[in-house]
Amino acid sequence: MNANRTMTEIQLPWYRPVAQEVALFEACAEQQLPLLLKGPTGCGKSRFVEYMAARLGRELITVACHDDTTATDLLGRFLIRDGDTVWCDGPVTRAVRRGAVLYLDEIAEARPDVVVAVHPLTDHRRELYLDRCDEVVTATADFMLVASFNPFYQQGLKELKPSTRQRFVSLSFNYPTAAEEVEILMGETDCERAVARKLTALAGKLRNAELLGLAEIPSTRLLVDAARLIHAGFPPRDACRTAVIEPLTDDPPTVTAMCDLAALCF
Ligand code: ADP
């Protein structure tokens, strides 16, 4: 972590704002509006939510959605304890009762029953229906629903229904500019500016190299990993290969072509 940061910043997760996202999040929190963060993987959506929850002084409850997650897992279930049947809240119910920021990461991955269960939380009702225990839970004032969605992931397979999308205020994220990404790498890893610049130069080349046919382009997360390895003393070209190139492709000629691009930067 960068030694020059102030105490207030040290208590918050490190986040480098890139547009008006902080003001928008604060307005949504104040107006009790649900927020959908759209953007490719590794561009800073989750870090932004961590930062904003801490900045607002609210608890953050994160659910990584996947296709095995059921509404029961999220809302709660009856369990047997010491011979008694007791209701046990799931993470969504806990967030609603406690006034937390609930972050549904990759909401498009969730099963339809999960999405339907959170719908009443997204409108004026701000309620959760627990059919199994015949209870309606009304969200406290501080409760905020935030979801993320990668529009470029498995296009066509995991789409969010328009009726769900229209329930959220939407904020698009993308990879930062080279200058912003240099700051992010330095703030996150304490790497030298020259290293950060070379990594973002490599990212620029790879993100624009359509001929490589990559399914996904390198994310800020991969650059952070490479910067950490270099900071730990790993040779830069090897760090680029293991942290940036190999995670993106298994095709040997493509790996070679990408390593050649890395050699132009380092
Ligand atoms: P996403 O949720 O979009 O998949 P993350 O929030 O996990 O991505 O971001 C991946 C990593 O990239 C973070 O752990 C952090 O190191 C870095 N990062 C990306 N954007 C920023 C930013 N604006 N400020 C600080 N760190 C960032």
Side-chain angles (χ1 to χ4, degrees):
M1 187 182 285
N2 193 315
N4 294 329
R5 281 196 231 145
T6 65
M7 268 317 284
T8 325
E9 285 173 312
I10 286 170
Q11 283 152 12
L12 294 176
W14 155 243
Y15 179 72
R16 186 344 184 138
V18 289
Q20 301 296 312
E21 71 274 30
V22 172
L24 181 72
F25 195 109
E26 283 178 345
C28 288
E30 190 197 304
Q31 296 298 318
Q32 302 189 337
L33 294 170
L35 180 61
L36 180 67
L37 309 179
K38 300 190 289 180
T41 185
C43 70
K45 301 183 296 297
S46 304
R47 176 60 64 86
F48 171 57
V49 179
E50 282 170 36
Y51 168 77
M52 289 307 303
R55 194 178 150 113
L56 294 171
R58 298 189 193 176
E59 182 185 3
L60 173 63
I61 296 183
T62 298
V63 175
C65 299
H66 55 82
D67 47 16
D68 281 341
T69 314
T70 63
T72 304
D73 294 330
L74 300 189
L75 300 188
R77 52 165 54 90
F78 284 105
L79 297 175
I80 307 288
R81 265 199 205 138
D82 302 328
D84 290 329
T85 308
V86 290
W87 173 259
C88 188
D89 283 344
V92 169
T93 310
R94 264 200 310 280
V96 172
R97 288 196 209 276
R98 292 190 199 168
V101 173
L102 172 64
Y103 180 41
L104 299 179
D105 194 8
E106 297 288 358
I107 190 174
E109 299 290 310
R111 287 157 55 136
D113 62 331
V114 170
V115 179
V116 168
V118 299
H119 268 191
L121 282 173
T122 58
D123 54 37
H124 64 280
R125 292 171 288 178
R126 288 175 47 92
E127 286 173 341
L128 194 59
Y129 302 125
L130 305 178
D131 295 340
R132 287 172 180 235
C133 63
D134 198 20
E135 185 185 352
V136 178
V137 187
T138 305
T140 59
D142 280 349
F143 171 76
M144 179 174 180
L145 177 59
V146 184
S148 76
F149 164 58
N150 179 354
F152 311 109
Y153 181 59
Q154 292 187 350
Q155 263 171 1
L157 290 177
K158 301 275 185 183
E159 292 289 349
L160 254 194
K161 284 206 292 186
S163 56
T164 301
R165 295 177 66 137
Q166 290 210 21
R167 291 172 168 272
F168 291 83
V169 171
S170 290
L171 174 61
S172 277
F173 272 69
N174 213 326
Y175 296 121
T177 63
E180 290 162 350
E181 211 160 34
V182 165
E183 274 188 45
I184 291 170
L185 294 178
M186 291 173 66
E188 181 76 358
T189 69
D190 271 353
C191 72
E192 288 168 18
R193 184 174 293 276
V195 169
R197 283 210 175 121
K198 288 177 183 179
L199 283 170
T200 52
L202 173 62
K205 289 186 195 304
L206 295 177
R207 287 172 186 162
N208 291 319
E210 284 171 19
L211 280 177
L212 292 173
L214 298 173
E216 295 226 334
I217 57 175
S219 63
T220 306
R221 177 186 294 127
L222 296 188
L223 301 187
V224 166
D225 293 347
R228 284 195 202 289
L229 290 179
I230 295 170
H231 194 60
F234 218 65
R237 289 185 188 179
D238 294 342
C240 291
R241 181 180 178 124
T242 50
V244 180
I245 296 169
E246 297 279 357
L248 292 174
T249 181
D250 300 317
D251 177 50
T254 310
V255 170
T256 305
M258 292 167 80
C259 286
D260 290 346
L261 288 175
L264 291 176
C265 301
F266 285 96

